Amino acid sequence: MSSVPADAANRASSAGNTDGVAVRSNGVAHEGAPARGNGPVREIEAKSPVQAGGAVVNGTSSAAVHGVGGAVLGGLSGVSTSGSHEAASARGGSAGARRRSVLSRLFGAQESGLVLVIAALVIALAVFGGTKNKRVQDAATGEWTTTQVNKFLDTSNLVLVAKDASFIAIMAVGMTAVIITAGIDLSIGSIYGLAAIVGALVLSRMGAEAAWFVSVPAGLLICMGVGALCGAANGAMIVGLRVHPFVITLGMLAALRGLTIVIPKELSGTQSVGGFPASFTSGFFKAEIAGVYPVPAILMLGVTLLGWFVLSRTVFGRRIYAVGGNETAARYAGIPVGRVLILVYALTGMLAGLSACVYLGYLGAAETSAGSAYELRVIAATVIGGASLMGGRGTAIGAMLGAVLVELINNGMIILGVDQDYNQIVMGAAIVVAVVIDQSKSRLRGRGR
């Protein structure tokens, strides 16, 4: 690019349909790139440094103008840099700022705090939980001996914690999406119980010899289908009747719990249903691998990763956050709010059905009391995991960590010999504390702005 005297700035050349763009800075004009369209010749004067590509640029920018009205398209021309040292320094400073930003986000995230709390609780239970006698069999001789093991770190206890956490975490991922939309689902425990009972009635009629490729898909389809239908009913009534989710799901909690009791009583005259195919229980959901039963934990991790992907990497996930952040603005933006809400509640019910199916496969039976008071534990896990009851905030990973923390607290009370009647008190207190902390953070962020 060549420089010309300042008084020649308005004589920028043009040919055909193009108009020239002249750029002037501190008395020196530069011939700009030609501009396509019918826009007028523009003079652009830049008196302040600009930054491009991490380097501070002292000079001017010329713009190519395209089309009627002169929309700016072009980049920088006729620029002079202040030196390679300044550019390198700027790039280094930018990289350092990015590293600090990543670290601040990592350690400032709700999940980081949960990981630290879980680690501290695990250490405390391992140290203060004490020991117990356990009979073990020698693999070589087959003889049984008694040995001392740590109550908390015992393999059977860790498997128990993982199994219980998986039931709650799978549902908590769905509840997170509901709470992000500023809603609530109090019926999730009853959906879990009804899906378990209906699935148990179907599986008990298959016979003990049914193959896994029949029993497992059938159990999943029945349980998840029942859950999805119940969740879709919740969403349809919330949207169609324009009634607050608290009221609708509270009514569904009672109605579905009643069905959970009535259906087995009328069909089989019992409150417990069992007799499932072995391929469904020990052949799949309670399959032993390396001395443990990992399927519930694997499904928990899989649902968590899928929930993370949907919420953070899909259009549907962004719509969920938009509805929770400001429902009115989401409507004006063209988001189908009603459809999003119905789908969110249906998916939450479906995950409750999946959790019920895992419960059936692991325990091999279903009772009418299945899922009682689970709504409290699921909501506690979700809120402790960072979801805001005001809507617009929450993560699937936080929900899983919250479920693990809830089950660690429950397990710790058992190990320490605390009466289980206090469990509900502790869960209620945990929800209150989590909400108070969330509100405090919101106020602090508001003052920070």
Side-chain angles (χ1 to χ4, degrees), residues 33 43 69 93 124-125 133 143 257 324 336 341 350 355:
E43 281 193 11
L125 291 175
N133 293 326
E143 295 182 357
R257 181 56 61 186
L341 290 175
M350 186 181 70
S355 182

Side-chain angles (χ1 to χ4, degrees), residues 394-416:
T395 65
I397 295 175
M400 183 199 71
L401 293 174
V404 171
L405 182 57
V406 166
E407 292 308 318
L408 281 176
I409 292 173
N410 185 48
N411 185 255
M413 294 176 67
I414 296 173
I415 288 176
L416 297 175

Side-chain angles (χ1 to χ4, degrees), residues 184-187 234 238 245-254 345:
I184 196 74
D185 189 353
L186 298 178
S187 67
N234 279 335
I238 290 167
F246 181 92
V247 178
I248 296 295
T249 58
L250 181 62
M252 287 289 282
L253 180 152
Y345 280 91

Side-chain angles (χ1 to χ4, degrees), residues 414-434:
I414 296 173
I415 288 176
L416 297 175
V418 179
D419 192 337
Q420 282 296 287
D421 292 336
Y422 291 94
N423 184 273
Q424 299 296 324
I425 299 174
V426 173
M427 290 299 103
I431 292 176
V432 172
V433 170

